[in-house]
Amino acid sequence: MLIFLLFISIHELYASELCHPNDKSALLAFKQSFSNPNPLPSWDPSFDCCDWYGVKCNETTNYVIGLDFTSDYLNGSIPSSLSKIKHLQNLRLHKIPNLVGEIPSQIQELSHLISLEISWTNISGPVPDFLANLKSLMFLDLSFNRLSGSIPPSLPIMPFLNIIDLSRNQLTGSIPESFGQMAQASKFPALILSHNWFSGNIPVSLGDINFSRIDVSRNNLSGDASVLFGKGKITDMILISRNNFEFDFSKVSFMESLIALDISHNKIYGRIPEQITDAVYLQELNMSYNRLCGKIPSDWKLRYKKDGWDNSSFFHNRCLCGIPLDPCK
Ligand SMILES: *[C@@H]1O[C@H](CO)[C@@H](O)[C@H](O)[C@H]1NC(C)=O
Ligand SMILES: *[C@@H]1O[C@H](CO)[C@@H](O)[C@H](O)[C@H]1NC(C)=O
Ligand SMILES: *[C@@H]1O[C@H](CO)[C@@H](O)[C@H](O)[C@H]1NC(C)=O
Ligand SMILES: *[C@@H]1O[C@H](CO)[C@@H](O)[C@H](O)[C@H]1NC(C)=O
Ligand SMILES: *[C@@H]1O[C@H](CO)[C@@H](O)[C@H](O)[C@H]1NC(C)=O
Ligand SMILES: *[C@@H]1O[C@H](CO)[C@@H](O)[C@H](O)[C@H]1NC(C)=O
Ligand SMILES: *[C@@H]1O[C@H](CO)[C@@H](O)[C@H](O)[C@H]1NC(C)=O
């Protein structure tokens, strides 16, 4: 009787195996390339790989379409065998401190990839230009790593790429002119490049884009960032703090959609235009440590109670005055 039950349950175990053999062997090769004694313990060949930790299969085709995990334990580099998981659409390797080495070139063979995130790891080397071969990619997040070198100009030209986050790396060089073509498919792309070592000017081509959000804070950028602004654009976040920007703020016009604006720690001069009060959703504001002068607009028409700014948002400028600072003389 016991043997019979055992037989039934083993039979059911195998009957319920949905995972395709090619996917399973690709995942096992992926697992085996780490140097740890037993990496990814739940990846047990006697179980359906669609039930393994971090693995997601399509419910109709049963192909492996997602790989998403975090691990303090895994040691090694990103396995090149990854490319054998042919139907992969979403790859997320997040918070794996001992993941090292470069992004393998085989990753470009994952032609169905829609979302690629390798973040909070110790991978190094360049942001490879072969990523541009991932023609279906919509979301790219390589933040919090040790990547260096400059951004390949081919990257922003990927047809569906909508969100690029390369923040908190050691990237250098200038922001490629080709980011001006980023909005081919998406009307409102997001570009997050903060905490790197980028230098040079913001390309004028970026002015043609309705970014939903742009964050270039904590770099070494210089010149004029006013192209990012403009009444009639749809941008909810502009963060350009801690750079060397130097331009006349009096000439800037603001989008109504703005929720967060941080221009602190630059060399921005001129007055704060009264028209900024059209930004009725503004929640976060910081203009401190610049060279601004004149009366702070007072006729705010905010839709929500502001708690993301106070007098410190205006400190350390040349001669700003009025609420919340001292009255103008
Ligand atoms: C993984 O790497 C860390 C840091 O280099 C090291 O301390 C640890 O011993 C390694 N573990 C294995 C199983 O290789
Ligand atoms: C699963 O595959 C089917 C058939 O190819 C497709 O129509 C469906 O959109 C896929 N589902 C997901 C979540 O990718
Ligand atoms: C990179 O490795 C160092 C040293 O092992 C570690 O302290 C750090 O947390 C790692 N970085 C990330 C983002 O995990
Ligand atoms: C910052 O950029 C300027 C050129 O705009 C360059 O001369 C300087 O060396 C850069 N500083 C750093 C720390 O990269
Ligand atoms: C930005 O979007 C708004 C609203 O959709 C549109 O009117 C405007 O022409 C767009 N501007 C640019 C520069 O694409
Ligand atoms: C504005 O930025 C300055 C400088 O970084 C900081 O000290 C201050 O707390 C910030 N104020 C607000 C309201 O964020
Ligand atoms: C800033 O505002 C705080 C709280 O309202 C107040 O205590 C402080 O004295 C102000 N500082 C200056 C320099 O006006």
Side-chain angles (χ1 to χ4, degrees):
M1 182 64 185
L2 209 64
I3 289 172
F4 176 71
L5 280 179
L6 198 65
F7 175 77
I8 294 286
S9 58
I10 287 175
H11 180 77
E12 279 186 345
L13 200 69
Y14 281 98
S16 67
E17 170 91 43
L18 299 171
C19 182
H20 291 260
N22 285 347
D23 279 350
K24 192 171 206 167
S25 59
L27 288 170
L28 288 172
F30 179 90
K31 165 178 163 155
Q32 270 142 24
S33 66
F34 292 100
S35 59
N36 314 67
N38 184 18
L40 298 160
S42 84
W43 290 24
D44 180 339
S46 55
F47 292 97
D48 184 359
C49 86
C50 293
D51 294 333
W52 291 355
Y53 166 66
V55 176
K56 184 172 185 284
C57 292
N58 177 304
E59 284 168 9
T60 316
T61 63
N62 300 314
Y63 284 122
V64 173
I65 54 168
L67 202 52
D68 175 353
F69 59 81
T70 291
S71 171
D72 281 337
Y73 181 62
L74 286 184
N75 280 27
S77 49
I78 302 170
S80 58
S81 58
L82 193 71
S83 63
K84 301 214 166 66
I85 314 169
K86 287 205 157 39
H87 296 84
L88 207 56
Q89 294 174 3
N90 302 296
L91 174 61
R92 181 168 186 262
L93 304 175
H94 177 63
K95 290 200 172 171
I96 310 180
N98 297 320
L99 191 68
V100 296
E102 301 195 358
I103 297 173
S105 65
Q106 289 82 357
I107 214 165
Q108 64 185 308
E109 292 162 27
L110 292 170
S111 59
H112 298 284
L113 218 53
I114 293 169
S115 162
L116 174 59
E117 173 177 348
I118 307 169
S119 59
W120 293 79
T121 79
N122 265 304
I123 60 160
S124 56
V127 175
D129 58 359
F130 54 71
L131 290 180
N133 295 332
L134 294 168
K135 299 291 184 212
S136 309
L137 207 64
M138 299 174 81
F139 175 79
L140 177 65
D141 181 350
L142 300 175
S143 61
F144 276 92
N145 292 303
R146 294 174 178 269
L147 300 172
S148 56
S150 53
I151 302 179
S154 55
L155 198 65
I157 307 176
M158 298 163 69
F160 299 109
L161 198 56
N162 187 26
I163 298 176
I164 299 181
D165 187 347
L166 302 176
S167 61
R168 297 195 186 246
N169 280 288
Q170 297 156 16
L171 299 169
T172 53
S174 55
I175 298 177
E177 187 77 39
S178 53
F179 273 110
Q181 295 171 47
M182 203 181 151
Q184 284 173 341
S186 147
K187 283 201 160 78
F188 308 110
L191 183 58
I192 319 292
L193 302 176
S194 57
H195 286 260
N196 278 291
W197 300 338
F198 292 119
S199 57
N201 295 325
I202 299 263
V204 177
S205 61
L206 264 59
D208 298 335
I209 297 192
N210 261 319
F211 285 107
S212 57
R213 30 192 74 188
I214 181 151
D215 182 357
V216 295
S217 50
R218 292 182 187 256
N219 278 290
N220 184 24
L221 296 163
S222 52
D224 189 354
S226 64
V227 292
L228 301 177
F229 295 84
K231 195 177 159 71
K233 281 198 201 171
I234 309 284
T235 303
D236 58 26
M237 198 193 256
I238 300 181
L239 309 178
I240 62 170
S241 67
R242 293 181 192 262
N243 280 287
N244 281 310
F245 290 122
E246 194 168 5
F247 59 95
D248 185 355
F249 207 52
S250 326
K251 297 192 175 125
V252 167
S253 69
F254 299 86
M255 42 289 264
E256 189 189 332
S257 55
L258 212 50
I259 294 171
L261 175 63
D262 189 349
I263 64 167
S264 63
H265 286 275
N266 281 291
K267 297 171 185 156
I268 300 167
Y269 55 90
R271 302 166 53 86
I272 305 174
E274 196 68 35
Q275 188 263 338
I276 196 173
T277 60
D278 287 352
V280 294
Y281 303 105
L282 205 55
Q283 291 289 291
E284 310 275 338
L285 178 65
N286 205 331
M287 301 184 166
S288 64
Y289 295 86
N290 277 296
R291 295 173 181 173
L292 297 166
C293 203
K295 183 175 174 295
I296 298 168
S298 51
D299 192 16
W300 299 96
K301 308 175 197 81
L302 300 174
R303 296 264 171 92
Y304 303 105
K305 188 175 172 291
K306 70 169 156 66
D307 42 23
W309 89 67
D310 54 30
N311 55 7
S312 73
S313 304
F314 303 99
F315 284 174
H316 290 272
N317 273 286
R318 190 158 281 165
C319 49
L320 284 178
C321 61
I323 298 165
L325 302 181
D326 292 339
C328 300
K329 294 197 178 91

